Amino acid sequence: MEKIITAKGNTLELRISGMTCASCSARIEKKVGGLPGIYKAAVNLASEKAFVEYDPDMIKPARVVKAIHEAGYKAEVIEKISPEIEKQVREKELRKMGMLFISSAVLSFPLFLAMILMFFKIDAGILHNPYLQLGLATPVQFIIGFRFYRNSYHNIKSLSPGMDVLVAMGTSAAYFFSIYNAFFGGNKENLYFEASAIIITLILLGKYLETRAKGKTSEAIKKLVGLQAKTARVLRNGAELDILIEDVVVGDIVLVRPGEKIPVDGKITEGNSTVDESMLTGESIPVEKKLGSEVIGGTINQYGAFYFKASKIGKDTVLSQIIKIVEEAQGSKAPVQHFADKVAGIFVPAVLGIAVLTFLIWLIGFGDLTKALVSAVSVLVIACPCALGLATPTAIMVGTGKGAQKGILIKNGESLEKAYQINTIVLDKTGTITKGKPELTDIVPLNGMDENMLLKIAGIAEKKSEHPLAQAIYKAAKEKFDIADPEIFEAFPGKGLKALIDGKSIVIGTKKWMEENRISYHSAIIQIEKLESQGKTVIILAANNEIAGILAVADTIKETSREAIAEFKKMGLEVIMITGDNKRTAEAIGREAGIEKIFAEVLPDHKAEEVKKLKSQGKIVAMVGDGINDAPALAIADIGIAIGTGTDIAMETSDITLIKGDLKSVASAIRLSKKTMAKIKQNLFWAFFYNVIGIPFAALGFLNPIIAGGAMAFSSVSVVSNSLSLKRMKA
């Protein structure tokens, strides 16, 4: 596969070809990381990608490319790679690998058949002819298997031997030992041409299956990219024009008809519909959209037609940001992988030492050259660190991809690894536990006033007010009545307002505002205190200087918050609510949500301090929030989780972003982290266990080189398959 490098400011994203094991990725990291002006180089074996942070004043991308060439890998710099091109390149590589395997299998089969017939002591005549066997094995060894020699040369040149060195040495030993026995006076009964050819064939089969499986780990990205619309229908100069998505500009009025994809982000200016946002949020229920509603590019319009004004285009759209986050997460490393990388760095030299020792013990201790060579070859062939290199990145790729499909964006492998360790979760109140928008909750008419009339008068009076509480009352009223303008309107910030409606003098506001206007509210004091004890804000309405009723407004909790918080407790997490609200309001919301521990009256700039105190107590803290004032706390927490319905700055400083404003997604993210880490540990265990058991068996002469080759080839496939099983996880 051709290497592709995309410049991203001070970051190069690289797509790498030719890597065969963990030693390859370690070698590239070492080579690139040693260049002047390189801050960091991280290579992901599974995704065949690398991210290189660099100083553009000290080093240019061309120098990075040259270093990769020197390490034995191809590279080319392009501005952008389309998913179609990437798919074509991967399919081309897969076809090439398939053809190599088929050619090798055709040439190796007669050798394999000869071995089977010899095992059953059946004379196969020409199949046992050493010239025929040499003729069949040679193209497999040096033409089909040339890749192993080429890569070995670069491995040895850079003093970083990897899998290819083991394969080249093992198969070459079997091949040349067979030539010696056949033509230079050795034992003609001991020919191992079939071993060298079949080992290469099995390894190619393993690589073919591994390449196919690795392609499936990045399916989440392909699905997300596939969501993007290709064209948009815009209104320009009074005419509807179909244009390419790249030609849409901010401010364009875009028409979307039923069944069409929404091309970019924006706000509806005319019409209404329902939109399927399931591929972005994981939510199967269509979302109703009306005048002023935000729409996201890539989602699917269902029933109605509407116009919307484009607000975000290109790389700024929600979908593009999601793709960027998932791509970077899939190319990142989890801390647990650094241990595997260190092991891989010393693994191959150690195996070479074991193979030499095995050969010498069998040769000198037992005087058996054949056994010495066969056992040493088995050690070399079985001890491939491929599975070790794939154990972590494949699981991270599938885990982050699975998260993206469920509306959970995980920034990197470190965040994924850390999330399952948290034991304390701090929840911001407004917009996280609650809806973040005040709603009218209670209407209490007094002194003969009718409930509907009370709501209508309040709606007319509050119509011209910009206060959020006033807007909550006006919104509730206009849903039931046609709301006219008041005859006279005067607002008094922080207190209330005065209005004239149908000749009546109306005063609305706080208790203090009533007292200033010498209006008694004591007849309703019991109802007022009861509503205030529930954490609601009470607004008193008086008509002609006499109390006519009270209205209560509150920021209500989300439908799913109580269920999510109960789930956190079931998971053994300590749950804390943090808010700037007064203690009474905070405690009322806490009771309703099921939270006992509450930090109330916390100023925005002090939220981070509270998180820091919890961390100093040895707690592993996750902070969940959505506002600008949550950003410092999100950044300082062990894991910052941003509600995606909030602000961009909160999403930038967080480790995990939830596209849905639903706390149940937090529990899903923690479960996903646990499942992914379990897969990583399983993969690492089997990768180590396989070698710990396999190498001694090979050294003691219990393994045939062909069996060793097959075991090595399929170990990588089993690791990738285990990671792919994460796809079946239910959030």
Side-chain angles (χ1 to χ4, degrees):
M1 187 170 187
E2 292 301 308
K3 173 168 289 195
I4 297 149
I5 303 176
T6 307
K8 291 186 175 179
N10 288 355
T11 302
L12 287 178
E13 183 184 354
L14 307 93
R15 186 170 298 281
I16 301 173
S17 63
M19 292 192 297
T20 54
C21 67
S23 296
C24 297
S25 55
R27 179 164 55 260
I28 296 169
E29 286 180 358
K30 184 178 178 182
K31 183 77 174 177
V32 175
L35 296 172
I38 299 295
Y39 299 128
K40 182 182 178 183
V43 180
N44 186 312
L45 176 64
S47 64
E48 298 177 319
K49 284 185 178 181
F51 287 90
V52 180
E53 293 179 18
Y54 72 105
D55 183 346
D57 295 326
M58 292 183 66
I59 191 168
K60 302 301 179 188
R63 181 66 189 92
V64 179
V65 172
K66 186 179 178 184
I68 296 165
H69 275 264
E70 290 168 355
Y73 304 90
K74 296 178 183 177
E76 63 174 317
V77 180
I78 62 170
E79 291 302 317
K80 186 178 179 182
I81 179 167
S82 71
E84 289 81 9
I85 293 173
E86 186 167 358
K87 184 181 178 183
Q88 289 169 11
V89 171
R90 187 175 286 278
E91 287 178 349
K92 182 180 177 182
E93 180 193 18
L94 201 58
R95 283 196 302 272
K96 181 181 176 182
M97 191 71 71
M99 288 303 297
L100 283 173
F101 163 68
I102 291 169
S103 301
S104 188
V106 169
L107 291 168
S108 300
F109 181 74
L111 297 171
F112 175 73
L113 184 59
M115 181 189 71
I116 295 296
L117 293 172
M118 179 176 282
F119 179 78
F120 288 104
K121 297 188 174 10
I122 300 172
D123 184 10
I126 193 169
L127 288 180
H128 289 146
N129 185 294
Y131 290 99
L132 175 66
Q133 292 200 2
L134 176 65
L136 292 169
T138 299
V140 175
Q141 187 71 37
F142 297 110
I143 299 175
I144 296 169
F146 175 73
R147 55 186 285 141
F148 300 113
Y149 288 101
R150 181 193 61 221
N151 293 342
S152 294
Y153 166 74
H154 291 292
N155 287 185
I156 294 167
K157 184 181 174 184
S158 60
L159 300 177
S160 181
M163 171 202 122
D164 297 296
V165 172
L166 299 180
V167 174
M169 286 184 67
T171 57
S172 295
Y175 177 84
F176 287 111
F177 183 55
S178 299
I179 289 178
Y180 169 76
N181 281 342
F183 308 110
F184 296 98
N187 186 348
K188 291 188 179 182
E189 297 296 317
N190 291 332
L191 301 184
Y192 293 96
F193 288 119
E194 79 282 348
S196 64
I198 293 171
I199 286 169
I200 289 172
T201 303
L202 288 172
I203 291 170
L204 290 175
L205 174 61
K207 284 293 169 189
Y208 174 78
L209 296 173
E210 180 188 310
T211 303
R212 280 189 62 184
K214 283 197 295 186
K216 293 179 181 178
T217 61
S218 58
E219 279 180 358
I221 287 287
K222 294 173 190 171
K223 286 180 181 177
L224 288 170
V225 172
L227 287 176
Q228 294 174 316
K230 300 291 187 293
T231 61
R233 186 173 291 106
V234 300
L235 291 182
R236 289 183 182 172
N237 301 320
E240 291 182 8
L241 301 174
D242 286 324
I243 62 174
L244 292 173
I245 191 77
E246 294 84 3
D247 297 330
V248 177
V249 297
V250 172
D252 267 339
I253 300 299
V254 185
L255 169 63
V256 185
R257 293 184 293 204
E260 293 181 339
K261 281 183 182 177
I262 296 169
V264 294
D265 298 359
K267 281 190 177 180
I268 292 180
T269 57
E270 183 184 334
N272 56 73
S273 183
T274 58
V275 174
D276 179 1
E277 297 182 345
S278 59
M279 274 303 291
L280 289 181
T281 65
E283 180 59 64
S284 58
I285 300 172
V287 181
E288 288 190 20
K289 301 289 181 179
K290 54 188 177 182
L291 184 67
S293 294
E294 292 188 353
V295 291
I296 303 171
T299 55
I300 300 172
N301 181 33
Q302 292 200 317
Y303 303 116
F306 61 83
Y307 292 93
F308 74 91
K309 188 175 183 179
S311 59
K312 290 182 180 179
I313 59 172
K315 62 181 176 57
D316 296 323
T317 64
V318 170
L319 181 57
S320 294
Q321 291 296 313
I322 290 170
I323 291 169
K324 179 189 173 190
I325 290 171
V326 177
E327 280 182 333
E328 291 183 357
Q330 292 195 336
S332 68
K333 286 190 176 186
V336 70
Q337 190 178 340
H338 295 300
F339 170 69
D341 288 346
K342 285 181 181 178
V343 172
I346 60 172
F347 188 78
V348 175
V351 168
L352 290 171
I354 292 170
V356 170
L357 190 62
T358 298
F359 179 81
L360 293 175
I361 289 173
W362 279 105
L363 180 63
I364 298 170
F366 298 92
D368 191 337
L369 175 61
T370 300
K371 193 70 173 176
L373 194 69
V374 169
S375 299
V377 168
S378 296
V379 168
L380 290 171
V381 171
I382 199 168
C384 170
C386 293
L388 199 59
L390 292 167
T392 302
T394 51
I396 287 174
M397 287 179 70
V398 178
T400 52
K402 179 72 175 179
Q405 291 174 357
K406 297 294 181 182
I408 303 165
L409 303 183
I410 300 163
K411 189 169 280 185
N412 50 47
E414 186 174 355
S415 303
L416 187 64
E417 179 175 338
K418 193 81 174 177
Y420 88 102
Q421 299 173 328
I422 65 170
N423 52 36
T424 303
I425 186 162
V426 179
L427 306 172
D428 173 54
K429 179 184 79 71
T430 307
T432 302
I433 296 173
T434 65
K435 294 176 181 177
K437 294 180 181 178
E439 294 181 353
L440 180 65
T441 58
D442 298 88
I443 305 170
V444 183
L446 300 167
N447 296 327
M449 174 67 74
D450 173 70
E451 183 177 308
N452 284 333
M453 184 56 69
L454 175 64
L455 177 59
K456 187 172 183 178
I457 291 172
I460 293 170
E462 300 282 23
K463 183 176 181 179
K464 292 190 174 182
S465 174
E466 294 180 356
H467 194 282
L469 300 183
Q471 286 300 303
I473 294 171
Y474 170 64
K475 181 183 176 184
K478 76 174 184 178
E479 287 177 358
K480 295 184 72 174
F481 313 107
D482 291 328
I483 303 298
D485 291 335
E487 294 152 40
I488 296 174
F489 171 84
E490 189 177 6
F492 298 84
K495 298 177 181 180
L497 59 83
K498 289 182 179 180
L500 185 66
I501 300 171
D502 294 334
K504 290 182 181 180
S505 172
I506 304 297
V507 178
I508 298 181
T510 63
K511 289 184 288 186
K512 190 174 182 181
W513 183 233
M514 294 298 128
E515 290 167 4
E516 282 188 28
N517 286 278
R518 303 190 181 198
I519 298 170
S520 174
Y521 58 83
H522 294 290
S523 61
I525 195 68
I526 293 174
Q527 292 100 317
I528 291 170
E529 288 181 349
K530 181 182 177 184
L531 291 169
E532 286 181 337
S533 71
Q534 296 169 2
K536 298 173 182 177
T537 301
V538 174
I539 298 164
I540 303 169
L541 185 147
N544 293 333
N545 293 323
E546 182 182 356
I547 186 169
I550 55 178
L551 302 102
V553 176
D555 182 8
T556 57
I557 72 168
K558 296 174 183 176
E559 292 79 2
T560 56
S561 291
R562 195 180 295 104
E563 186 182 341
I565 289 161
E567 194 167 353
F568 296 152
K569 291 180 177 179
K570 201 179 291 183
M571 295 169 80
L573 301 176
E574 179 183 7
V575 185
I576 299 169
M577 184 177 81
I578 192 166
T579 178
D581 283 353
N582 64 67
K583 194 172 181 182
R584 177 188 276 185
T585 301
E587 286 178 348
I589 292 290
R591 279 196 303 273
E592 191 178 355
I595 302 174
E596 293 79 31
K597 193 166 185 178
I598 296 162
F599 296 162
E601 299 176 14
V602 179
L603 295 173
D605 54 342
H606 290 167
K607 286 184 178 181
E609 288 298 319
E610 293 295 340
V611 172
K612 196 182 290 184
K613 284 180 191 175
L614 291 169
K615 288 178 67 177
S616 70
Q617 297 167 19
K619 296 177 179 179
I620 301 174
V621 182
M623 170 72 195
V624 187
D626 75 325
I628 290 175
N629 58 10
D630 297 322
L634 289 169
I636 206 165
D638 293 296
I639 290 291
I641 303 176
I643 300 290
T645 49
T647 61
D648 289 342
I649 190 167
M651 293 170 69
E652 278 294 317
T653 53
S654 66
D655 301 296
I656 297 173
T657 298
L658 310 177
I659 299 175
K660 290 187 290 184
D662 186 346
L663 279 179
K664 287 201 293 185
S665 294
V666 176
S668 294
I670 295 169
R671 281 197 300 271
L672 180 62
S673 171
K674 287 182 177 178
K675 292 276 188 184
T676 305
M677 285 309 300
K679 290 296 178 188
I680 289 172
K681 289 174 181 177
Q682 288 167 16
N683 289 346
L684 288 172
F685 170 79
W686 286 112
F688 281 115
F689 180 80
Y690 157 80
N691 282 300
V692 166
I693 297 298
I695 292 173
F697 263 73
L700 292 170
F702 295 131
L703 282 183
N704 180 290
I706 294 173
I707 296 172
M712 184 274 279
F714 286 101
S715 64
S716 299
V717 179
S718 65
V719 162
V720 179
S721 299
N722 189 44
S723 295
L724 285 170
S725 67
L726 269 173
K727 288 187 173 186
R728 296 193 293 271
M729 173 193 162
K730 293 182 179 179

